[in-house]
Amino acid sequence: MRSEEVPVRPDGTAQAPPFDPELTAVLAAVGRREPLTLAGLAARQERDAAARPRPAIGELRDGGRFEVAELRAPAVNGREVGLVAARPAGVTGPLPLLYYLHGGGMVMGNAWSVLPRLLRDWALPLRLAVVSVEYPLAPKAQYLEPLEHCYAGLVWAAGHAAELGLDADRVVLGGKSAGGGLAAALALLTRDRGGPAPIGQLLLSPMLDDRGATFSSHQMAGHDPWDRASNAVAWQALLGDRYGTADLSPYAAPARATELAALPPAYLEVGSAETFRDEVVAYADAIWRAGGDAELHVWPGAFHGFDTLAPRAALSRDAREARTRWLRRVLGR
């Protein structure tokens, strides 16, 4: 898409959809982050690691409310696959599993810092277990290595379900942003390899398309906290020389997939004022065209990461409730 195809104001700036008023106020209060650059990526990763430290197991246990364990699956390319498992304490019987992949643009984040919210929002009310994956980050790990770690962890968890107290027939793949893209790719990969068969995929503002050619990618440039400039750097860090090539595997960028039949039911959400809007809507449409099951939510006036930045906003509460309803429905089938 050419930039002149995007609606512009008289002053030449892009005409973007408005942010929700509550979200606008929060964004103004915290300020906008500088976009990622390849030259500044290492320093940004250091700052992110300092700002998002791994909570200790004792913290995650929350005074005995949860059972938490650090696990190891067999190595991939010489790197051990790190997992952290948690479940409500004292709940007997095999529990359904949310196999969760954290966000961070493939270059930031960790498996531990997402757990407090997952345990509070879903593990307790839905009586499920959570396994979060510490996949290696780009650019040290490129192309399919992060996904192969996620797949190896899934196979290991399903194979050890009995000893972990898990129900291997009720596994939901989930993730946000980069983790949502990995969850979508993992659904494709485990289908094609005949691996564990999840009953659902929870894709929250998933990072699906490396090409940066959608209308919303151009429309939200300079507006969305995660815009096309940062997104391009993240994809380049992950893909290296494969970035933008015509024959890129759909396991790297699920928007490239042409065969979307026989996938587990999907929940997809995105903001109307978000870089990823059009690629997420297109992915839901492709699932429907393939005869699949997808529930799509486009939250009006939401930017990328809105519910993390403004968890008390009405829109954030609505989004959490919709995700929980879908999870409860899928787990009850």
Side-chain angles (χ1 to χ4, degrees), residues 34-42 44-45 103-108 135-143 146 177-179 207-212 225-244 248 252-253 275-276 279 304:
E34 290 296 314
L36 288 182
T37 64
L38 285 173
L41 181 55
R44 180 70 171 270
Q45 288 175 316
M106 301 300 301
V107 296
M108 295 178 286
Y135 59 84
L137 300 177
K140 291 182 179 178
Q142 288 192 322
Y143 195 42
S177 191
M207 180 178 170
L208 300 169
D209 197 341
D210 65 300
R211 293 166 292 192
W226 182 264
D227 74 353
R228 60 183 285 107
S230 294
N231 199 45
V233 170
W235 279 112
Q236 289 173 60
L238 175 67
L239 299 176
D241 293 341
R242 294 181 175 88
Y243 173 64
L248 185 67
T275 300
F276 293 160
E279 64 196 69
H304 190 70

Side-chain angles (χ1 to χ4, degrees), residues 16 42 56 87 95-96 106 125 136 144 176 184-185 191 197 211 229 236 242 246 249 256 285 289:
R87 58 191 285 141
L95 296 185
M106 301 300 301
L144 292 184
K176 188 173 186 178
R191 176 199 65 181
R211 293 166 292 192
Q236 289 173 60
R242 294 181 175 88
S249 166
R256 304 285 196 118
D285 184 62
R289 287 172 181 262

Side-chain angles (χ1 to χ4, degrees), residues 185-250:
L186 183 56
L188 295 168
L189 186 65
T190 194
R191 176 199 65 181
D192 296 345
R193 288 183 178 174
I199 62 168
Q201 48 180 330
L202 181 70
L203 311 179
L204 309 179
S205 294
M207 180 178 170
L208 300 169
D209 197 341
D210 65 300
R211 293 166 292 192
T214 64
F215 187 94
S216 60
S217 173
H218 288 269
Q219 185 184 36
M220 297 311 302
H223 301 287
D224 190 10
W226 182 264
D227 74 353
R228 60 183 285 107
S230 294
N231 199 45
V233 170
W235 279 112
Q236 289 173 60
L238 175 67
L239 299 176
D241 293 341
R242 294 181 175 88
Y243 173 64
T245 56
D247 58 348
L248 185 67
S249 166

Side-chain angles (χ1 to χ4, degrees), residues 267 316-326 328:
Y267 177 99
S316 301
R317 295 196 302 270
D318 288 347
R320 287 195 298 272
E321 289 171 5
R323 300 164 193 166
T324 302
R325 284 196 301 269
W326 179 85
R328 184 177 287 114

